[in-house]
Structures are given as structure tokens and as C-alpha cells.
Amino acid sequence: MVTAFVMIKANTGEADRLRNTVESIEGVESAHIVAGDVDIIAKATVEAPAAVKNIAATEIQGINGVEDTQTYIAMD
């Protein structure tokens, strides 16, 4: 299993809607609105690194209102 954390920057006022949309993506375990440089942190657990790419680069970045993402794969 591969665990990854996706940091999401949202357009102003979009965080609540985006969190719900991100949480509905298959493989995403949770999504939390946070304070700081990003607006949402999502945790994904999937079978392979390619699935992480699909979630971050295709699914999340394809949501209207997402400005930017950064993805970190857990090493433990």
C-alpha cells in the first residue's frame, strides 16, 4: 500500500466545497481544511504510486476551484 498526502490550495471561498469533493474521490481516506500555506490536506491510501498520480494530477487538479497541489508520498 502507498500512503500519500496531497496539499491543496483553493480559490477564495471554495475550501468547504472542495473538501467534500476531494473526500468523495476513490482512494482518498480523508480531507481536512487547515490553516497555513495550503487550504486542504488530503490523505490517500492506494495500491501503487500510479494511483497517487491519478488522484493528485487528474482527479484533484481537475476540480474547478483548485489552484495548486503538492503531493508527498509517505516513506514508512
Side-chain angles (χ1 to χ4, degrees):
M1 296 297 282
V2 178
T3 300
F5 297 91
V6 183
M7 311 301 152
I8 304 165
K9 284 193 175 195
N11 289 338
T12 302
E14 296 282 346
D16 287 321
R17 179 185 64 81
L18 289 176
R19 183 184 59 84
N20 293 334
T21 303
V22 168
E23 278 190 325
S24 71
I25 296 170
E26 185 175 342
V28 174
E29 284 188 21
S30 61
H32 303 273
I33 296 172
V34 298
D37 293 337
V38 297
D39 301 299
I40 300 167
I41 298 176
K43 179 182 179 183
T45 303
V46 293
E47 292 293 325
V52 173
K53 180 184 176 210
N54 181 60
I55 288 172
T58 303
E59 297 285 338
I60 294 176
Q61 287 184 5
I63 299 170
N64 187 27
V66 171
E67 284 185 22
D68 193 23
T69 63
Q70 291 182 337
T71 304
Y72 298 90
I73 294 178
M75 301 300 288
D76 62 351

